[in-house]
Every structure is written in structure tokens, then in C-alpha cells.
Amino acid sequence: MADSSTKDLIVREARICFANQGFDGTSLNDIAAGVGIRRPSLLHYFPSKDAIYQHILELALEEWGRQIDERPTSGDGDCWAQVDSILEVSFEFFRTNPEIVRIVRREALTEKGHLDFDLGTALRPYFLRAVRFFEREMEAGRFRRHDAENLVLTGYGALLTYFSDHRMLTGLLDEDPFSSRALEARFAHVRDFVRSALEPLVTE
Amino acid sequence: MADSSTKDLIVREARICFANQGFDGTSLNDIAAGVGIRRPSLLHYFPSKDAIYQHILELALEEWGRQIDERPTSGDGDCWAQVDSILEVSFEFFRTNPEIVRIVRREALTEKGHLDFDLGTALRPYFLRAVRFFEREMEAGRFRRHDAENLVLTGYGALLTYFSDHRMLTGLLDEDPFSSRALEARFAHVRDFVRSALEPLVTE
DNA sequence: GTCTATACGCAGATAGAC
DNA sequence: GTCTATCTGCGTATAGAC
């Protein structure tokens, strides 16, 4: 936020446009107008529209990965603290990066990307890590048995959808889904719901 | 499927294009080429591209609503049969209408639609009905306590994401996420996961 | 009902002045 | 580093022949 170089302003404005209108729905004019410069000036910083988009996507995944990797409690705390930590970091990242959420979701939807880039391949290491964690804990009897891969996908969908489908939720609910009260209720629900499903029925 | 009038062919092809490439990413040429006619011939059946899109959206929601309303076991069966029925109808509708899933999801993502149409408003009656059902059952002690609105949203996200983000899942998993084995596992997981979270800890 | 021809605007990208 | 001017192609939509 501190650095307000033109290039950064372009990236920030483009991120908003791509999130709101998608790649095809965004014109270089839209971005330039938001920054306050003319269209050809954009291409002084990036060789093409594709390049802007790719850059934003790479920044986004880099940031996402960093937040996950730098997760505080990745030590050997108890398994529930781990789950809460995973949920909290993801929730917090989605909340503070709503544009990235929508861009990633659009990318997941599009049958064939404009680039060589593949979202599934990029996220696979994180997915597999989460799957292995749940399998280990379920094997040890600390979590109730579920299909680990589907469990992670369910969590992903439950978290991401709340932020990506914001516009629809606004029509569905009486309250702004991004109000602090609604967000707290959402996080509490997801945490408790997951806990309800994973908690063993008999505690040793 | 039986009626193969040109208009139906247009609708079917447009649905595929809009799902794969979005509204802005789809040109009338794309649709016309898929049907096997020229671009101006499309506009003999629809006054504009917007009209085609709006028509598809209306068809989709009409169909979705009908499938939900015609749900077989909406009688007074036990509450678990009700939950299974809701999940099964939704799952089956998403599975057999993958294009609609992606079109609806794109609509939910887009900050402002091209039309006066609002997805949240359209789905709100169904949402409220589901919320009231869960609240009633939780009040009666047949389900464990959860935030009913968030519960429905979680189910929605868990079901829809699996079908909308198919491309990403293909890169994430080793298996085709739409193979019959994977689909069965997915449905079983969602059903069991929801049941685990809702089942009261002490059975009267 | 489908076509060719065309109008018209906006897209992305480049050249070159300042 | 930003601009004006321009090139080129594709977009939606319309007019009118067959």
C-alpha cells in the first residue's frame, strides 16, 4: 500500500476489474481509466493484457502460499488447534483478499485458460498436504473417519463460496454478508460444523 | 432432446459456450459455428445476445425450481430422509446440468449483471424454506444445533463447488472427478459429513 | 429461414512526438 | 513515462436479396 508507483496502481486496479468483470469483460480502457492514465501507457509497463493477468495470478498464488506456509501453529500442537489454524488462515486470507478469491474462482470455472497456467496443478501440493494431515489424524483415531480428499474439498467449497458468491449472498440474506457480525458467525459456524463432524463419538 | 428445431439447437449451443467461456468470452460467431449457421441467422430467433443469455438463465432457474418442487419425499417422512432427499435432488440436478452450474456460479460472481435479474432474489424462497426446515428440526432436538442459514450455505457451497470447479479438480485429483466412482464417493461423503455434524450426540 | 453485405464501434497493440 | 494518432481485427447488429 505504501508504494504507489504507477505499475502498482495498474496491478491494483486490474485486480479489481478482473475480479468484478472477468478477463474478457475487462478492457484496457477500464484499467487505464481507473489508474488515471491512457490506454497505451499501460503497455509501457506490461507487454499485453495477458501479461497483466498472468502477473496478478502469480502474485495471488504466491501470496496465498506464503500465508499458508507461514502459518503460526504448524508445530506439533494438538490436532484441533491445527484444524482451527488451517481454517483461520484460509478464512482470513479470503476475507482480506476478496479480489483474489473471485479471480481464482473464475479461473477454476474456465474450461481452458488463456495461459499455460493450471490452477489445479498449482494448488495440488497444498491439497495433498492437507489430505495427508487428515488421513494421519483419522488413522490415529483422533478424528472420525471420512474420505480425506472429499473432506478437504468440502472445506474448500464451504470457505471459498461464502466470499466468492458475495453478490448472491447479499440477495439471499437480510444482512450484509461481509459485516463483522456476519463474518464472525460464518467462521464460528464452519469451525463448529467441521468439529461436529470430526469429533469422535466416544472420547477415550 | 427430441425437438431439434434451430432455436433449440441455438439454446443448447449457447448454454455450452456461456458455461465454458462466460458471457463476454462468448461471441455470436462461436454460437453460430456450433449450430452450423451464420451469425445473422441467430438474430432471426433472438433479438440480441443479451436475450439469448436471459432466456437460458430463466430456463435454468425454472428447471431447478421444478426439480426441487417435484422432489418425491417432501411428505412427512423422517427428518433424515428429508435431508438425504434434498441432497440427492440437488446433487443429481447439478450432475445432469453441468452447464447451468457454471452459468449460475458466474452470475453469482459478477458484481453487476447485464440484466435487471438478481440471482439471490430468485433463490431466496428456496433458501428460506431450507433454513426453516433445519430450524424446526433443530428446535425439536432431532438435529444438533447449528446456525441454520450458515448450514444451508455450507451445503450449497460443498455441493456446487464440486461441479463448478471441475477443471481445477481435474488437476487436483488423480481421477476424473466426474467418473461414476468419484461421483458416488462424493455424494456419500457429503451425506455422511452432514449427518455426522447434525446427528445428536445422545440418542434419546 | 438463411444468406451476403455492410454499418459502426471498440477491442488490443504499435509508432513516434514530447 | 505519458501522450496522440493510427493500424487492424473482431464484436454486435441491421438491411435486404434469395
Side-chain angles (χ1 to χ4, degrees), chain A residues 70-173:
Chain A
E70 288 176 357
R71 184 157 58 88
T73 50
S74 67
D76 39 32
D78 79 297
C79 57
W80 292 111
Q82 290 262 18
V83 171
D84 286 358
S85 161
I86 292 172
L87 291 177
E88 199 173 333
V89 168
S90 304
F91 193 88
E92 200 55 19
F93 179 70
F94 295 162
R95 186 183 70 77
T96 51
N97 295 277
E99 291 91 14
I100 292 179
V101 168
R102 299 222 292 293
I103 290 172
V104 163
R105 180 124 256 176
R106 284 181 194 279
E107 197 61 27
L109 276 174
T110 300
E111 200 56 24
K112 191 75 194 69
H114 345 280
L115 337 140
D116 43 1
F117 180 85
D118 184 67
L119 187 62
T121 308
L123 295 183
R124 195 172 147 92
Y126 300 101
F127 175 72
L128 291 178
R129 201 191 305 174
V131 167
R132 279 194 295 266
F133 164 73
F134 284 110
E135 270 173 351
R136 202 185 324 127
E137 300 296 324
M138 290 188 296
E139 198 58 43
R142 288 188 286 270
F143 290 153
R144 225 184 308 177
R145 259 274 157 229
H146 288 283
D147 180 310
E149 288 193 343
N150 272 306
L151 177 65
V152 174
L153 290 182
T154 296
Y156 174 82
L159 282 180
L160 201 77
T161 295
Y162 190 84
F163 293 98
S164 70
D165 293 17
H166 168 258
R167 178 164 159 269
M168 188 191 73
L169 293 195
T170 303
L172 227 45
L173 305 171

Side-chain angles (χ1 to χ4, degrees), chain A residues 5-77:
Chain A
S5 74
T6 304
K7 185 159 181 170
D8 284 346
L9 290 175
I10 292 171
V11 169
R12 230 171 297 170
E13 181 64 29
R15 185 156 39 213
I16 294 170
C17 289
F18 287 143
N20 288 345
Q21 313 162 259
F23 180 84
D24 293 309
T26 299
S27 77
L28 293 182
N29 275 333
D30 294 335
I31 302 172
V35 175
I37 58 176
R38 307 283 168 170
R39 188 175 4 128
S41 304
L42 287 183
L43 301 171
H44 175 74
Y45 296 93
F46 293 95
S48 70
K49 185 183 173 183
D50 274 317
I52 302 178
Y53 184 76
Q54 174 132 12
H55 182 248
I56 286 176
L57 212 58
E58 282 165 0
L59 272 186
L61 289 172
E62 194 186 310
E63 180 64 20
W64 193 353
R66 185 168 43 240
Q67 299 240 12
I68 293 175
D69 291 339
E70 288 176 357
R71 184 157 58 88
T73 50
S74 67
D76 39 32

Side-chain angles (χ1 to χ4, degrees), chain B residues 95-108:
Chain B
R95 185 183 72 77
T96 51
N97 296 276
E99 291 91 14
I100 292 179
V101 169
R102 298 222 293 292
I103 289 172
V104 164
R105 180 125 253 176
R106 284 181 194 280
E107 198 61 26

